[in-house]
Amino acid sequence: MHLLFVCVGNTCRSQLAEAIARHLGFEASSAGTHPGMEIAGHTLAVLKDRGIDTSGLRPKSIDEVNVDAADMIFSMGCGVQCPNLPLDDDWGLDDPVHKERAVYEATADEITRRLQRLIEAQS
């Protein structure tokens, strides 16, 4: 199953979700409607400390990903409005950008919980 995670900047939440989803065995990608220049440092640090591969991660525009390849598309909770994007759910996660690392940790924990529920639902 291929999951696509969409937000505005594609520097924090959606990058965490992409990397954690891959780590849990999904095919995954992420994109932003207005991508930032680089992934937030705390995002990369949290993933590395959890033993999650960060190679290949970079902010991407929604125009750079194959939306048609996605089986499910999730907004991360940033009010993304994409009329041509059939969202399956809005996860409603607060944006950790420019906050302390603990907020990134909590965001990663919540993403992991949601992905594990998705795995359970598939079983």
Side-chain angles (χ1 to χ4, degrees), residues 10-11 14-16 18-20 22 28-31 37-39 43-44 47-48 52-61 64-65:
N10 192 222
T11 62
S14 54
Q15 292 289 343
L16 286 167
E18 176 183 352
I20 294 168
R22 286 183 180 172
S29 54
S30 67
M37 297 299 292
E38 61 186 15
I39 297 173
T43 296
L44 295 172
L47 292 169
K48 286 180 183 175
I52 298 173
D53 184 15
T54 61
S55 61
L57 293 181
R58 66 176 180 79
K60 298 167 291 300
S61 166
E64 294 180 61
V65 297

Side-chain angles (χ1 to χ4, degrees), residues 6-85:
V6 181
C7 66
V8 176
N10 192 222
T11 62
C12 301
R13 294 166 291 183
S14 54
Q15 292 289 343
L16 286 167
E18 176 183 352
I20 294 168
R22 286 183 180 172
H23 185 73
L24 293 174
F26 291 99
E27 290 182 42
S29 54
S30 67
T33 56
H34 298 87
M37 297 299 292
E38 61 186 15
I39 297 173
H42 285 322
T43 296
L44 295 172
V46 165
L47 292 169
K48 286 180 183 175
D49 284 353
R50 292 171 184 229
I52 298 173
D53 184 15
T54 61
S55 61
L57 293 181
R58 66 176 180 79
K60 298 167 291 300
S61 166
I62 196 68
D63 297 328
E64 294 180 61
V65 297
N66 182 357
V67 174
D68 295 330
D71 296 301
M72 299 183 83
I73 303 174
F74 299 100
S75 168
M76 302 311 291
C78 37
V80 171
Q81 299 296 320
C82 299
N84 298 326
L85 213 57

